[in-house]
Amino acid sequence: MGKLTIKDIAREAGVSITTVSRVLNKKEEGMSQETREKVLRVMEELNYQPNKLARGLVTKRSNMLGLIVPNISNPFFPELCRGAEDEANKRQYSLIICNSDDQTQKEENYLRLLKEQQVDGILLSSKDRLSKTSKNQLQSGKIPYVLFDRGEEGNNYSGVFLDNEKGGYLAGKHLTDLGHTKIACMTGPQDIRNSQQRLLGFQQALMENSVNLLGSFILDGDFQMDTAYRVAKDFLQNNNVTAIFACNDLMACGIYRAAHEIGIQIPEQLSIIGFDDIPLVTALIPKLTTIRQGTYEMGRKAIELLINKIENNSSEEVVFEPTLIVRESTEQIRRD
Amino acid sequence: MGKLTIKDIAREAGVSITTVSRVLNKKEEGMSQETREKVLRVMEELNYQPNKLARGLVTKRSNMLGLIVPNISNPFFPELCRGAEDEANKRQYSLIICNSDDQTQKEENYLRLLKEQQVDGILLSSKDRLSKTSKNQLQSGKIPYVLFDRGEEGNNYSGVFLDNEKGGYLAGKHLTDLGHTKIACMTGPQDIRNSQQRLLGFQQALMENSVNLLGSFILDGDFQMDTAYRVAKDFLQNNNVTAIFACNDLMACGIYRAAHEIGIQIPEQLSIIGFDDIPLVTALIPKLTTIRQGTYEMGRKAIELLINKIENNSSEEVVFEPTLIVRESTEQIRRD
DNA sequence: ATGAAAGCGCTAACAA
DNA sequence: TTGTTAGCGCTTTCAT
C-alpha cells in the first residue's frame, strides 16, 4: 500500500507540502538553494513519483492526448502513431492510442472514454466522415481536437491533410512521362474522398498529356489486397494495358499477384505505381514505385497543431505535399 | 468552462451528490426507482460525463493499463496491440500504448511515466532483458505487471511466452519431411533467447531425421530484412542448399530478394520457411510458409493475466504453441 | 432510502 | 523564503 505522497516528502524533509510542490513544479524563484536541495534529495532517496491524476484534478490538465486510428493493422498507421507519439512526448504529453477498427460505434465509444479520462485533446483519424454522435462528442465540452486526413464544415478546427489530387497527378504524370497510353486505375471505396481525389488528379495528368482513361479501365477496389487481386485478375485477363495506378499500396500487392498468376512480367509488360509508401513495399519484387505521404511527419505535425490548439487555442489546416518515389515497378514503355 | 460535475447533476435532480454517485456506480440496492430514474434522466439531458481522474484519486484505480512495445513499426506488434486492446476494453480498462523503439532509455522513461499516470498495471514487451532501472521501476511500488515473450528470475510474476523451441522444431520437421537435407538457417541477433531457442528446436528436428546442419550453414541475421538480404545473397552465391529457415518473416523477405537476384526459383530450387506469420507475408510471391504465433491471442491473454494479477493478485505463466502454416514457399525436394 | 462530511494527492491563492 | 488553507470531482463511511 503506502504509496509515497507529497506529504511524506514534506515530513521527511521538514518542510511544508507547498514547498515540495514548488520544487516539483520548478517554481523556485526565491527559494533557498538549501531547502530545494534537501527536498530533491529526499525525493531521490525515497524514489518519489508524483501522482499525475491528483495534479490533473486541480490543474485541469491531464497532459494526456487521445489518438484514434481506424486500423492499427494497416501498416500506414503505425507510422502515424510514431510521429504523433514522438511529438507528444517531446512536449511532455502522453498518448492514448485507440483503434476504432473502422467501426463508428467504437469510435464513438473511444471518444466518450477519452473525454472521461480527461485527455487534453484528441487527434482523430478515420476514413469515414464524422458521425453525428462523434461530432457531438467533439463539440460538447469543447474539447480541442484535430482531424487527420479528412475535412469538415466550419472553420475553427485544425486538421492535417495530404494533397491527394497532387498525388494522383504525380502518378499520372510519371506514367505518361514513361510513354504509357494504355493505363488503368484501381480506386478505393467509392465514398472515400481521398480516393476520389487521387483519381481526379490522375485523370488530370493523363488529360494534359492527351492520354485517355477509358471508363472501363477504372477499376473498383476497396483498398484491400484480396479484392484488388480478384478484380485485377479478371481485368488483366481480358484487357490489354501497360500500366496501372493503384490508389494504395495494399492494392498494388494484390495486383502483383494477379499479374504473376497470369504470367505478366512487372515492369517489363506492366508498370505498377502505388500510393502511400508503406514500409512493406520494399519487400515486393520488384520494389514498388509509389507516391509517398510523409506519414511520420504528418503525425508529428498533427500533434503539434493539437497542442497549439490546446495551449493557444489556435486553429490551422496544413496540407502535405506527396512525393513520387521511383523504384523498380515502373519503366519506359517498350515499343515492340 | 463550467464542465458538468456530479454537483450539477445533484442540484438539478434535487438530490445529494451521494445519491448521484450511487447511481453512477450502480450501487442502487434499496434506492427508490423514482430517484434513480430522475437522476438518470438529468444525466442524460445534460450529457454528463463523469471525471475518471477524480474517481481514480479516491478509488486508487485508474482503470488504465500501460503497454510498452519495442517497435510499433514491426508488423508483429500491431496485432499484439489489437489483442491487448480488445481484451482491455472488454474488461473496462483502457490502454496506453507506448513505443520504446528498442531503447532501454525510452522504456525506462515510459515505465516512470505510466506509474505517474497511475496505471493499474503494465504489460511489458521488449526483446532485451530487463534493465536494472526497469526492474526497479517495476518492483518498487509493487505495480502489477506481466512480461510478454521474455522471462525473468523470481516467481511471482506473470508472463506469456511462445514455445520457440517447438516452433523451430516444426520448421525443421516440415523441411525434413519434404526430403530436404541441404539446409541453412538464418538466426536473429545472438543475444536474443527467442532466436536461440528457435535454432535449437530446428537443430533438434534435423537431428531426429539424421540431417546434419553444418556450422557454416547457420547464418547470422538480426531480424531485419536488409541484413538478411545481404547475408543471403553472399551465402547463396557460394553455397548450394535446397531450403532455408529464417527465424523471422522479415528476414525471409530479404532472402526472397537475394534468391530472386541470383536467379534461384522459390520454391522449385529453394524452399523457404519463416517465423511469425506477420500479415504482409501473404503479399509475397510465392506466399510464405511460416510458423505462426497467435499474436492477437497472445495479446489478449497477456492482458487477461494482467487483470487477474491486478484484481486477484494471481500469477501465471502461459506458453503458447506455435503452428505450422504451409503456403507456397516450400515444396518436396526434387530428385533430379 | 438518502445525506453530511471527510478525504484521495495535489496546486494555488493568500498570509506571514 | 516558507506555510496555511481551500478546493479540484469524486467515493465512502457513518448518520439519519
Side-chain angles (χ1 to χ4, degrees):
Chain A
M1 282 291 2
K3 262 210 183 165
L4 247 36
T5 78
I6 204 174
K7 266 188 194 161
D8 301 310
I9 305 300
R11 182 167 22 74
E12 214 61 28
V15 299
S16 76
I17 60 168
T18 312
T19 304
V20 178
S21 172
R22 280 196 185 106
V23 353
L24 224 42
N25 295 286
K26 306 202 191 306
K27 297 192 173 166
E28 305 161 304
E29 8 168 295
M31 169 181 262
S32 87
Q33 187 68 2
E34 201 185 357
T35 343
R36 209 183 69 94
E37 277 171 3
K38 188 167 42 174
V39 172
L40 247 20
R41 189 154 32 76
V42 175
M43 283 180 174
E44 177 76 11
E45 267 168 20
L46 271 47
N47 187 25
Y48 167 70
Q49 310 197 297
N51 182 331
K52 295 235 171 137
L53 261 48
R55 180 176 214 268
L57 190 55
V58 13
T59 60
K60 313 272 188 218
R61 279 289 175 77
S62 64
N63 274 31
M64 297 193 298
L65 266 20
L67 166 55
I68 302 184
V69 296
N71 180 2
I72 190 76
S73 297
N74 179 337
F76 179 82
F77 289 103
E79 287 307 301
L80 177 69
C81 291
R82 293 192 50 193
E85 191 182 30
D86 285 353
E87 182 68 17
N89 288 162
K90 211 177 77 190
R91 306 274 231 114
Q92 315 277 25
Y93 285 82
S94 46
L95 204 60
I96 303 188
I97 298 174
C98 308
N99 181 48
S100 70
D101 252 336
D102 273 324
Q103 293 168 237
T104 309
Q105 178 69 274
K106 276 199 172 186
E107 177 177 303
E108 292 166 356
N109 276 346
Y110 272 127
L111 245 20
R112 187 176 44 69
L113 202 89
L114 289 172
K115 286 178 71 182
E116 291 184 355
Q117 216 77 254
Q118 310 301 119
V119 295
D120 295 331
I122 294 177
L123 171 51
L124 181 55
S125 157
S126 99
K127 49 182 196 197
D128 303 331
R129 56 192 56 212
L130 289 176
S131 76
K132 213 166 180 174
T133 316
S134 291
K135 199 174 286 188
N136 244 326
Q137 278 289 5
L138 248 19
Q139 264 141 19
S140 83
K142 311 184 185 307
I143 183 153
Y145 65 97
V146 357
L147 263 22
F148 181 82
D149 217 18
R150 71 172 174 195
E152 202 204 18
E153 318 75 49
N155 49 12
N156 70 332
Y157 78 98
S158 292
V160 355
F161 308 96
L162 183 79
D163 186 343
N164 283 289
E165 204 170 321
K166 171 84 176 291
Y169 182 87
L170 287 176
K173 179 155 191 322
H174 177 60
L175 259 22
T176 51
D177 281 354
L178 292 174
H180 292 276
T181 53
K182 289 179 292 182
I183 300 178
C185 171
M186 186 176 289
T187 67
Q190 301 285 347
D191 51 334
I192 306 290
R193 261 236 319 250
N194 279 356
S195 168
Q196 294 165 1
Q197 291 174 327
R198 288 171 195 179
L199 174 60
L200 211 66
F202 188 69
Q203 288 173 311
Q204 178 76 22
L206 298 207
M207 214 153 42
E208 282 182 13
N209 290 276
S210 314
V211 172
N212 193 20
L213 181 61
L214 287 176
S216 62
F217 282 14
I218 298 178
L219 279 23
D220 289 333
D222 61 358
F223 280 159
Q224 300 298 318
M225 184 167 79
D226 288 347
T227 312
Y229 160 73
R230 271 182 278 111
V231 172
K233 189 148 183 193
D234 184 56
F235 176 77
L236 291 172
Q237 270 166 339
N238 301 302
N239 296 274
N240 184 22
V241 294
T242 61
I244 298 190
F245 167 45
C247 280
N248 80 356
D249 289 342
L250 242 30
M251 295 194 299
C253 294
I255 300 174
Y256 265 58
R257 175 168 305 278
H260 171 77
E261 289 182 7
I262 297 173
I264 297 174
Q265 299 293 320
I266 304 170
E268 292 80 357
Q269 299 168 273
L270 181 67
S271 284
I272 299 185
I273 180 168
F275 204 109
D276 281 350
D277 198 29
I278 57 182
L280 85 86
V281 299
T282 58
L284 294 176
I285 299 173
K287 291 179 184 165
L288 184 67
T289 292
T290 192
I291 304 295
R292 170 179 295 169
Q293 317 199 28
T295 325
Y296 177 88
E297 200 47 41
M298 288 172 87
R300 286 183 70 94
K301 193 65 184 178
I303 291 294
E304 192 182 318
L305 294 192
L306 183 55
I307 295 179
N308 286 346
K309 179 98 188 173
I310 293 168
E311 298 184 348
N312 319 317
N313 194 31
S314 66
S315 296
E316 194 182 347
E317 276 187 39
V318 358
V319 177
F320 275 73
E321 293 288 297
T323 52
L324 170 69
I325 306 293
V326 179
R327 294 206 180 88
E328 307 163 346
S329 67
T330 48
E331 69 170 31
Q332 189 77 32
I333 185 80
R334 307 190 169 200
R335 312 221 162 271
D336 41 36
Chain B
M1 282 304 6
K3 261 208 182 166
L4 247 35
T5 77
I6 203 174
K7 266 187 195 163
D8 301 310
I9 306 300
R11 183 168 19 75
E12 214 61 30
V15 298
S16 75
I17 60 168
T18 312
T19 305
V20 179
S21 172
R22 281 196 184 105
V23 353
L24 224 43
N25 295 286
K26 307 200 190 308
K27 297 194 172 163
E28 306 161 303
E29 10 170 292
M31 168 182 265
S32 88
Q33 186 68 1
E34 201 185 356
T35 345
R36 208 183 71 92
E37 276 171 4
K38 187 166 41 172
V39 173
L40 247 20
R41 190 155 33 75
V42 175
M43 283 181 174
E44 178 75 12
E45 268 168 19
L46 271 45
N47 188 24
Y48 166 71
Q49 310 198 297
N51 182 332
K52 294 236 171 133
L53 259 48
R55 180 175 214 269
L57 190 54
V58 12
T59 59
K60 313 270 187 219
R61 279 288 175 79
S62 64
N63 275 37
M64 296 195 297
L65 266 22
L67 166 54
I68 302 183
V69 296
N71 181 2
I72 190 76
S73 296
N74 178 336
F76 180 81
F77 290 103
E79 286 308 300
L80 176 69
C81 291
R82 292 192 51 192
E85 189 182 31
D86 286 352
E87 182 68 17
N89 289 161
K90 210 177 77 191
R91 305 274 231 114
Q92 316 276 24
Y93 285 81
S94 44
L95 204 59
I96 303 188
I97 299 175
C98 307
N99 181 49
S100 69
D101 251 336
D102 273 325
Q103 294 167 235
T104 310
Q105 178 69 271
K106 276 199 172 186
E107 177 177 304
E108 292 166 357
N109 275 346
Y110 273 128
L111 245 20
R112 187 177 43 69
L113 202 90
L114 289 171
K115 285 177 73 182
E116 291 185 355
Q117 216 78 254
Q118 309 301 119
V119 295
D120 295 332
I122 294 177
L123 171 51
L124 181 55
S125 157
S126 99
K127 50 183 194 195
D128 303 331
R129 58 192 54 213
L130 288 177
S131 77
K132 213 166 181 176
T133 317
S134 291
K135 200 174 286 186
N136 243 327
Q137 277 290 4
L138 249 19
Q139 264 141 19
S140 82
K142 311 184 184 308
I143 184 152
Y145 64 98
V146 358
L147 263 21
F148 181 82
D149 216 19
R150 74 171 173 196
E152 202 203 17
E153 318 74 50
N155 49 12
N156 70 332
Y157 77 99
S158 292
V160 355
F161 309 94
L162 183 79
D163 186 343
N164 283 289
E165 203 170 322
K166 171 84 176 292
Y169 182 87
L170 288 176
K173 180 155 191 321
H174 178 59
L175 259 22
T176 51
D177 281 353
L178 292 173
H180 292 276
T181 53
K182 289 179 293 182
I183 300 178
C185 171
M186 185 176 288
T187 66
Q190 300 287 346
D191 50 333
I192 306 290
R193 261 236 318 253
N194 279 357
S195 168
Q196 293 165 0
Q197 290 173 327
R198 288 171 197 179
L199 174 59
L200 211 67
F202 187 69
Q203 288 174 311
Q204 178 77 22
L206 299 208
M207 214 152 43
E208 284 182 12
N209 290 275
S210 313
V211 172
N212 194 19
L213 179 60
L214 288 176
S216 62
F217 283 14
I218 299 177
L219 279 23
D220 290 333
D222 61 358
F223 280 160
Q224 300 299 316
M225 185 168 77
D226 288 346
T227 312
Y229 160 73
R230 270 181 278 111
V231 172
K233 188 150 184 192
D234 183 56
F235 176 77
L236 291 172
Q237 270 166 340
N238 301 303
N239 295 274
N240 184 23
V241 295
T242 62
I244 298 190
F245 167 43
C247 280
N248 81 356
D249 289 343
L250 242 29
M251 295 194 299
C253 294
I255 300 174
Y256 266 57
R257 176 169 304 278
H260 171 76
E261 289 181 7
I262 297 173
I264 296 175
Q265 300 292 321
I266 304 169
E268 293 80 358
Q269 299 168 273
L270 181 68
S271 283
I272 299 186
I273 180 167
F275 204 109
D276 280 351
D277 198 30
I278 58 182
L280 84 87
V281 300
T282 58
L284 294 177
I285 299 172
K287 290 179 185 165
L288 184 68
T289 291
T290 192
I291 304 297
R292 171 179 294 170
Q293 318 199 27
T295 324
Y296 177 89
E297 200 47 40
M298 288 172 88
R300 283 184 72 95
K301 193 64 184 181
I303 291 293
E304 192 182 317
L305 294 191
L306 184 54
I307 295 179
N308 285 347
K309 179 96 187 172
I310 293 169
E311 298 184 349
N312 318 317
N313 194 31
S314 66
S315 297
E316 194 182 346
E317 277 186 41
V318 358
V319 176
F320 276 73
E321 294 287 296
T323 51
L324 170 69
I325 307 293
V326 179
R327 295 208 179 87
E328 307 163 346
S329 66
T330 49
E331 68 170 31
Q332 189 77 33
I333 186 79
R334 306 188 168 202
R335 313 222 162 271
D336 41 37

